[in-house]
Amino acid sequence: MNICLVSAQVSNPIKSKDEKFQSDFVYMCIDNAYTAAYLEQLGYSVDVIEGELESKKEVMKKIVTNNYQVVGISINYSNYIESIRLINAISKKMPKMFIFACGYYATLKYQELINDVESLDCCIIGEQEITIANLVGNINNKNLWINIPGLAYKQNGECIRTEKVRLIENLDILPFPKRPYQTSDMAEIISARGCYGDCSFCSSNDMTKEAIGPRVRLRSPKNVVDEMKHLADMYHVTYFNFANDNFMNFKEENWLSDFVAEIKSHNLQNIKFSIFARANDIIRNRNQLMILHDAGLDYIFVGVESFIDRQLKLYNKGNTSEINLKALDILRSENIKYVCGFIPLDPFVVIDELRYNFYTLIKIGFQSHAHFMQVPISCLEPLYAGEGSKLFEVYKTQNVVDANNIYRFEFAHEEIIQFNKALKPWRQKIFMLNKKVIKLLQESDITLERRKILLALKSQIILLDLRAMLYLCDDIVENGINEVQTSFYDEIVELETAI
């Protein structure tokens, strides 16, 4: 049986093209990659298509010409419109094709998909490897597959959901992900699934709750480093981006030391890696940070989000501004670079809160200690709340939901509406400058002197962005001016010249 797993192109139905910030760093749909490898281990022939790396025409051509019996579409909040278009296009060309949806959106919005997308045969709910394997194994007998755990489908006009699937507790049994697009020296990898946190804007745990089993599951250090070694040998990968929600999910401190020991025993020299971590876990694992740094840790993405406790409560971070500041201070003292996850704009934010956040970042020397991959804070857009998320339910109770807005809400205060509107042209300019510097810093033949100059310019970009937003806050309140001052645009030109 020939199977195709597709991740459709990201779509943005509201914004115009010039408002959309494109990234050169396209990562694979790791769920599809794992599922493909798992199915191939069972003897199936599986292709993986990344819609972000193929044109829409190329995606359809591959699906039409390769004679697949089954196509699975991984849907999330950023690609659901293109996914539905793709499903309908496939069904129109090949009406007998069996099409299923999987991923976050298919799990949390399965009723809407099943009821509204006639071309869809079923949705996979929750973790997908075992459910999809059982589905394709019984695909020719609907009387059998309709009873498989972890599915939703339509029968006699009604959406039917089967019992919950059991999560894979031992992740080491899974084969390494299939990587047909792996061509660079950087690869995405995970060390665990799930997160013990419960951030209101994150759908990770909402998805896990749709299955049976422990929320957090870790791969063994040896299994993780075995894959790193495989990638290094097979694809010459030297940089590993750990994409799981929280690298420091573990309760046992020896996981980190065992991980580092495995890197040494596998003779993985001159590698670098980045991880995600919560602020409180950085504090908890302070004594382990230098061990990670010596093993190749490049930077830590820290989900700080804000220094305003009201916002942290809204985001259900479980941390305080004091914890956030302490974590960043630890990283500074250990000389470990970081990237901040930051969400300054929520529906209820006021100008003084913006001022405090921006001022605090400058005060702690954020521009000097952030890794060069840090995105300017102005480019971190307002807090999106997907339907079905805990945050969206909060928005509904507070009567701020706006279905026609890409963020799914409207700001409660006019000053913030003006602030966000004024940032649109600024974001585009500062984003493109930042993108240019990152590209130059990633060149393989860059000299040490050139790198030093560019890193200094990157710090200036981050600081310029914060200064521009602080002045914009003042101008809106004190002078009724709702645009970034021309002098800041002039500084962008000066920095472009210096590059």
Side-chain angles (χ1 to χ4, degrees):
M1 179 181 292
N2 293 329
I3 303 164
C4 184
L5 302 176
V6 186
S7 178
Q9 192 176 82
V10 170
S11 57
N12 195 326
I14 304 297
K15 290 184 169 184
S16 60
K17 188 175 181 181
D18 62 338
E19 293 179 81
K20 186 177 176 183
F21 302 128
Q22 298 289 349
S23 172
D24 289 330
F25 313 107
V26 180
Y27 303 128
M28 66 178 180
C29 176
I30 201 158
D31 292 334
N32 280 357
Y34 265 109
T35 302
Y38 186 74
L39 292 174
E40 287 187 337
Q41 193 176 62
L42 296 175
Y44 296 103
S45 174
V46 187
D47 287 336
V48 173
I49 298 177
E50 294 287 354
E52 281 291 285
L53 303 177
E54 307 264 10
S55 70
K56 296 176 187 177
K57 186 178 291 186
E58 288 170 336
V59 171
M60 273 303 298
K61 183 179 178 181
K62 284 186 176 182
I63 293 173
V64 170
T65 59
N66 281 303
N67 197 31
Y68 299 115
Q69 283 79 52
V70 182
V71 172
I73 313 292
S74 181
I75 310 180
N76 55 51
Y77 286 109
S78 62
N79 76 355
Y80 74 96
I81 288 181
E82 288 301 328
S83 296
I84 293 170
R85 287 174 180 163
L86 179 60
I87 290 168
N88 289 331
I90 294 170
S91 180
K92 186 176 180 180
K93 284 272 188 181
M94 294 159 288
K96 293 184 179 180
M97 173 78 73
F98 190 99
I99 307 171
F100 67 83
C102 53
Y104 282 99
Y105 196 89
T107 294
L108 302 178
K109 302 287 289 180
Y110 69 88
Q111 288 178 308
E112 179 180 303
L113 285 172
I114 290 296
N115 289 327
D116 295 348
V117 186
E118 293 291 334
S119 310
L120 196 60
D121 288 286
C122 66
C123 286
I124 309 298
I125 301 177
E127 201 166 65
Q128 62 190 51
E129 289 93 347
I130 292 175
T131 303
I132 293 175
N134 288 333
L135 174 64
V136 298
N138 295 280
I139 205 80
N140 295 320
N141 190 336
K142 187 171 183 178
N143 290 328
L144 291 178
W145 70 253
I146 60 174
N147 295 310
I148 293 169
L151 287 181
Y153 56 91
K154 184 181 283 188
Q155 185 167 286
N156 298 325
E158 182 182 357
C159 179
I160 306 295
R161 177 178 172 171
T162 63
E163 64 182 276
K164 292 182 177 181
V165 70
R166 181 164 292 280
L167 294 167
I168 301 170
E169 295 192 27
N170 179 12
L171 298 180
D172 287 2
I173 68 170
L174 293 173
F176 299 152
K178 181 172 182 172
R179 300 173 182 267
Y181 293 91
Q182 184 66 49
T183 56
S184 75
D185 60 359
M186 174 182 148
E188 182 173 315
I189 189 172
I190 62 168
S191 62
R193 289 183 179 178
C195 178
Y196 69 83
D198 201 21
C199 300
S200 60
F201 53 82
C202 180
S203 299
S204 175
N205 285 332
D206 293 326
M207 186 167 176
T208 305
K209 289 172 186 174
E210 297 300 328
I212 302 169
R215 181 188 296 186
V216 177
R217 291 144 298 139
L218 276 65
R219 299 171 66 184
S220 68
K222 183 180 185 306
N223 184 252
V224 174
V225 181
D226 280 348
E227 184 181 359
M228 294 170 70
K229 177 66 172 173
H230 166 73
L231 291 169
D233 292 343
M234 180 71 69
Y235 303 105
H236 310 292
V237 171
T238 57
Y239 197 105
F240 301 89
N241 171 44
F242 281 91
N244 40 300
D245 298 313
N246 186 0
F247 187 81
M248 297 181 176
N249 257 325
F250 45 80
K251 294 180 180 179
E252 305 82 8
E253 286 191 7
N254 64 330
W255 195 98
L256 273 183
S257 56
D258 289 348
F259 171 71
V260 172
E262 289 291 344
I263 288 177
K264 292 178 180 178
S265 69
H266 282 68
N267 198 30
L268 285 171
Q269 299 177 356
N270 301 318
I271 65 162
K272 288 187 176 183
F273 57 91
S274 59
I275 63 174
F276 286 76
R278 289 170 55 89
N280 57 299
D281 286 324
I282 289 171
I283 297 171
R284 180 170 62 91
N285 292 287
R286 178 173 187 169
N287 294 335
Q288 303 274 356
L289 292 175
M290 286 313 297
I291 298 174
L292 279 175
H293 190 261
D294 292 342
L297 176 63
D298 186 29
Y299 70 86
I300 300 179
F301 183 103
V302 190
V304 169
E305 320 311 353
S306 176
F307 300 113
I308 303 293
D309 285 331
R310 178 199 64 79
Q311 287 186 314
L312 294 174
K313 185 177 180 180
L314 174 66
Y315 306 155
N316 201 35
K317 289 297 297 183
N319 287 334
T320 63
S321 56
E322 182 181 0
I323 289 173
N324 284 341
L325 288 167
K326 184 176 181 180
L328 296 184
D329 188 57
I330 287 173
L331 295 179
R332 177 199 57 78
S333 66
E334 300 288 357
N335 197 30
I336 295 175
K337 294 293 185 180
Y338 57 80
V339 168
C340 268
F342 216 74
I343 311 173
L345 292 169
D346 72 83
F348 319 105
V349 69
V350 296
I351 286 287
D352 282 346
E353 290 176 327
L354 291 182
R355 282 173 169 153
Y356 183 81
N357 269 328
F358 302 151
Y359 173 75
T360 301
L361 286 168
I362 294 174
K363 183 180 177 182
I364 66 174
F366 169 66
Q367 64 275 9
S368 301
H369 305 302
H371 190 272
F372 72 78
M373 289 296 291
Q374 176 71 53
V375 175
I377 298 299
S378 69
C379 298
L380 301 175
E381 300 184 62
L383 178 58
Y384 174 83
E387 291 186 46
S389 69
K390 296 179 288 293
L391 193 59
F392 189 75
E393 295 306 311
V394 172
Y395 288 1
K396 286 200 294 188
T397 61
Q398 296 293 321
N399 200 31
V400 295
V401 171
D402 182 355
N404 296 317
N405 190 310
I406 185 63
Y407 312 122
R408 313 298 291 174
F409 70 83
E410 187 53 274
F411 294 109
H413 303 287
E414 180 61 31
E415 290 177 341
I416 303 300
I417 295 174
Q418 293 179 34
F419 177 87
N420 189 48
K421 184 177 180 180
L423 277 188
K424 286 182 179 179
W426 172 259
R427 284 173 177 146
Q428 191 64 41
K429 291 287 187 181
I430 200 77
F431 179 85
M432 295 308 297
L433 175 61
N434 181 69
K435 178 179 177 180
K436 186 182 297 184
V437 172
I438 289 178
K439 269 191 169 183
L440 292 170
L441 280 165
Q442 291 183 316
E443 290 181 350
S444 58
D445 59 348
I446 187 172
T447 65
L448 289 176
E449 185 60 30
R450 176 67 168 158
R451 180 180 174 83
K452 184 178 179 181
I453 292 171
L454 289 172
L455 287 174
L457 286 172
K458 178 58 193 267
S459 294
Q460 292 178 56
I461 291 170
I462 297 297
L463 180 58
L464 171 61
D465 186 57
L466 293 169
R467 287 173 45 235
M469 290 191 293
L470 273 173
Y471 273 82
L472 177 59
C473 288
D474 292 342
D475 280 342
I476 288 173
V477 173
E478 299 169 11
N479 305 315
I481 299 173
N482 59 353
E483 60 183 8
V484 175
Q485 293 182 14
T486 304
S487 61
F488 291 111
Y489 285 102
D490 293 339
E491 288 190 53
I492 285 182
V493 175
E494 292 174 7
L495 289 173
E496 286 175 334
T497 304
I499 291 175

